[in-house]
Amino acid sequence: ATVTLRGIAHRPFDGPWTHEKRSKLQALALALLEEALPGTAASVTASELLVPPDIENRLGLSDGDLLRGEMSAAQMLGFRPFAECRGTRTPVKGLYLAGPSSTLGPLATAAAGWAAATAIFCDLKEQA
């Protein structure tokens, strides 16, 4: 099984990654796994924790970011993927955004798809 935690800092505010910090993060990940799937943590026989510096060193991804770039607050809300294209509709007729680059994409699972489907439905209804 793979557990991916997002938002883990490459450079923690209180200094570099230490064995103690890694152990605490690993314990947190196992606790979250146990909360989601009771009884699972007890069956874990081995684990490996990769924090952002490890990912950067092994995979060459800047700052160990698996998604290739942190988003600013503006990118998370109304300016995704760019200011002229808010919501799911684009300037290209019939093209709607419903992935992680759309307005709701980075915030909630399936919300971007729901919003795009709603926009398509409304546009088709207007055309009829």
Side-chain angles (χ1 to χ4, degrees):
T2 300
V3 175
T4 303
L5 303 174
R6 294 187 56 193
I8 305 301
H10 184 274
R11 294 168 200 84
F13 70 92
D14 60 348
W17 282 99
T18 62
H19 179 71
E20 180 184 345
K21 289 178 189 175
R22 288 170 182 263
S23 294
K24 285 182 180 180
L25 181 59
Q26 191 165 17
L28 173 63
L30 287 172
L32 292 171
L33 178 64
E34 181 65 25
E35 185 179 317
L37 301 166
T40 304
S43 65
V44 173
T45 59
S47 63
E48 180 179 16
L49 175 71
L50 298 176
V51 294
D54 302 328
I55 295 168
E56 183 176 48
N57 292 334
R58 292 184 187 191
L59 302 177
L61 298 175
S62 298
D63 288 332
D65 185 2
L66 292 172
L67 298 178
R68 306 238 162 95
E70 293 293 327
M71 292 182 281
S72 68
Q75 290 173 313
M76 288 183 200
L77 302 170
F79 297 115
R80 290 189 59 82
F82 44 90
E84 295 78 23
C85 182
R86 295 185 182 173
T88 62
R89 293 177 180 89
T90 69
V92 178
K93 185 177 177 168
L95 178 63
Y96 299 82
L97 297 178
S101 290
S102 64
T103 303
L104 296 173
L107 300 176
T109 303
W114 174 84
T118 301
I120 292 167
F121 178 76
C122 290
D123 290 352
L124 289 174
K125 191 174 180 181
E126 285 180 15
Q127 292 174 7

